[in-house]
């Protein structure tokens, strides 16, 4: 037998990977071509979610977990063997193939890594939903939480997010965004169990998608918006129609910090074109109200401005104490 005979041809190994975040059976065309043309298709996991769909398509899949050498031998004679990878990606097999290739003593088959399905942007959100489902069922603390019990954590996480933004720490920002997202998913999971008015994370996402599309007619419709002011006008107009509010103050949460509340009220008054004199009274509260209204008119966030000043004051205090940051 010479080196060019069919019996000596090394063949081909295709490692087929799939994403569990994509519905089983939704594979790329190159993947289906490789599967249909293969001399053998192997999978170590008999419960792999892709197998029913492959078999339904007429592709025979053998449950087997060959060693690297066994897989190389199976390719002898120019055969193509497709390995449907398990969730771990077959690290033992790939390490074994790498050792054989590095030894220089084995005529290796052609090796190909073929992604059969890809994660779309946002696919990891599915992982978060699944993890939250399990935690809600199995964790003694999480399984007992309620919307009211979690409310304080939502406030804390929102403040920590603001702090990360103002500090300019990218790693901290990513982490705090995750913590805020967790609150949304956690509350949505709890809401599924409500006996009177249940809703899920899909309902939450669907609602905000519909709202965004409706409030952006210049993006999803035929209206025009050339400036940020045009966009704000569209937003306020559609929001007013949706909410059918009697007052420009409707919908403003009164439980927010005082400076932020005053600024929001002033913003609504200014946007509506109303002339509303400030209450005539004496005291620190009314002085702060006047300053917050002035700040809003000048495009300054009074809450953020006060926090910046407070941080400077904190540094001064620590310097006076001889404490470094």
């Amino acid at each position: 037998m010479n080196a060019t005979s069919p019996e000596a041809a090394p063949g081909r190994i295709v490692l087929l990977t799939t994403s569990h975040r994509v519905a089983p059976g939704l594979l790329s065309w190159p993947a289906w071509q490789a599967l249909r043309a293969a001399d053998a298709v192997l999978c170590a996991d008999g419960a792999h979610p892709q197998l029913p769909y492959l078999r339904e398509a007429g592709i025979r899949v053998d449950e087997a977990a060959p060693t690297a050498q066994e897989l190389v031998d199976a390719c002898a004679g120019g055969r193509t063997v497709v390995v449907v990878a398990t969730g771990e990606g077959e690290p033992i097999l790939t390490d074994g193939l790498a050792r054989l290739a590095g030894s220089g003593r084995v005529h290796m088959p052609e090796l190909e890594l073929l992604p059969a399905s890809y994660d779309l942007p946002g696919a990891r959100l599915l992982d978060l939903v699944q993890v939250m489902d399990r935690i809600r069922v199995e964790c003694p603390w999480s399984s007992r939480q309620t919307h009211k019990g979690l409310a304080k954590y939502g406030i804390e996480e929102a403040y920590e997010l603001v702090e990360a933004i103002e500090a300019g720490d990218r790693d901290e920002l990513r982490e705090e965004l995750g913590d805020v997202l967790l609150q949304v998913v956690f509350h949505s999971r709890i809401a599924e169990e409500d006996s009177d008015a249940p809703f899920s994370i899909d309902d939450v996402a669907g609602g905000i998608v519909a709202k965004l599309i409706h409030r952006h007619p210049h993006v999803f419709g035929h209206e025009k918006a050339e400036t940020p002011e045009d966009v704000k006008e569209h937003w306020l107009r559609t929001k007013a129609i949706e909410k059918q509010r009697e007052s420009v103050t409707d919908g403003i949460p009164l439980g927010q910090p005082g400076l932020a509340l005053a600024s929001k009220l002033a913003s609504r008054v200014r946007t509506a074109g109303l002339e509303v004199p400030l209450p005539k009274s004496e005291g620190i509260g009314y002085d702060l109200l006047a300053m917050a209204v002035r700040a809003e008119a000048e495009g300054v966030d009074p809450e953020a401005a006060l926090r910046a000043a407070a941080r400077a004051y904190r540094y001064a205090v620590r310097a006076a104490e001889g404490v470094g940051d």
Side-chain angles (χ1 to χ4, degrees):
M1 181 174 66
N2 58 54
T4 59
S5 66
E7 291 79 7
R12 178 169 170 245
I13 298 172
V14 179
L15 184 63
L16 196 74
T17 61
T18 58
S19 170
H20 67 276
R21 304 178 191 95
V22 177
L26 297 180
L27 307 181
S28 65
W29 178 241
W32 282 114
Q33 287 180 309
L35 287 162
R36 293 187 181 282
D39 295 291
V41 178
L42 309 178
C43 183
D45 180 9
H48 195 293
Q50 296 289 348
L51 299 192
Y53 298 90
L54 300 186
R55 289 169 176 150
E56 185 178 348
I59 296 171
R60 174 180 172 180
V61 182
D62 296 319
E63 185 177 346
T67 65
Q69 185 62 63
E70 290 170 342
L71 188 57
V72 170
D73 293 342
C75 293
R79 289 165 53 84
T80 295
V81 178
V82 173
V83 177
V84 180
T86 59
E88 292 75 26
E90 308 297 342
I92 296 177
L93 179 60
T94 54
D95 288 348
L97 291 170
R99 284 193 296 271
L100 286 178
S103 71
R105 297 190 299 270
V106 178
H107 192 189
M108 292 294 293
E110 176 187 348
L111 301 175
E112 179 183 357
L113 175 63
L114 180 58
S117 59
Y118 302 82
D119 285 347
L120 295 173
R124 294 306 299 271
L125 294 174
L126 299 176
D127 290 346
L128 177 56
V129 172
Q130 291 175 352
V131 168
M132 190 69 252
D133 281 341
R134 183 169 179 180
I135 289 175
R136 178 63 175 173
V137 173
E138 299 181 19
C139 174
W141 183 84
S142 299
S143 62
R144 291 173 171 80
Q145 296 310 302
T146 64
H147 292 303
K148 289 183 179 179
L150 289 177
K152 62 180 180 182
Y153 299 109
I155 296 173
E156 290 174 5
E157 299 299 353
Y159 277 124
E160 290 177 6
L161 173 60
V162 171
E163 185 175 349
I165 292 172
E166 292 179 346
D169 188 322
R170 302 293 294 177
D171 291 336
E172 192 71 15
L173 174 59
R174 183 180 63 248
E175 180 178 346
E176 296 304 336
L177 284 169
D179 290 342
V180 171
L181 178 59
L182 171 60
Q183 295 302 308
V184 175
V185 175
F186 203 163
H187 280 283
S188 299
R189 180 61 181 82
I190 294 172
E192 289 185 40
E193 302 167 8
D194 189 275
S195 57
D196 298 323
F199 59 82
S200 69
I201 187 66
D202 287 320
D203 297 315
V204 173
I208 192 61
V209 166
K211 180 185 292 186
L212 287 172
I213 292 174
H214 182 63
R215 293 187 183 176
H216 288 79
H218 54 290
V219 176
F220 301 99
H222 301 292
E223 294 198 33
K224 302 295 183 182
E226 304 295 339
T227 66
E229 289 72 24
D230 293 339
V231 174
K232 188 173 183 180
E233 181 183 343
H234 286 323
W235 182 277
L236 292 175
R237 184 169 65 252
T238 55
K239 189 173 181 180
I241 295 172
E242 289 172 8
K243 301 296 185 180
Q244 294 293 307
R245 288 170 172 162
E246 296 180 352
S247 167
V248 297
T249 65
D250 290 348
I252 297 178
L254 300 180
Q256 62 184 301
L259 285 178
L261 173 60
S263 177
K264 188 65 176 179
L265 288 167
S267 174
R268 289 281 185 91
V269 168
R270 179 175 56 81
T271 302
L274 299 175
E275 294 291 339
V276 182
L278 294 177
K280 297 294 184 180
S281 186
E282 295 184 359
I284 295 295
Y286 290 92
D287 293 340
L288 290 173
L289 172 63
M291 294 182 66
V293 171
R294 192 188 83 190
E296 194 283 329
E298 296 176 1
V300 176
D301 180 350
E303 192 73 31
L306 180 58
R307 280 197 304 273
R311 282 197 298 272
Y313 184 42
R314 173 181 176 271
Y315 295 147
V317 171
R318 291 176 70 84
E321 295 172 330
V323 180
D325 251 336

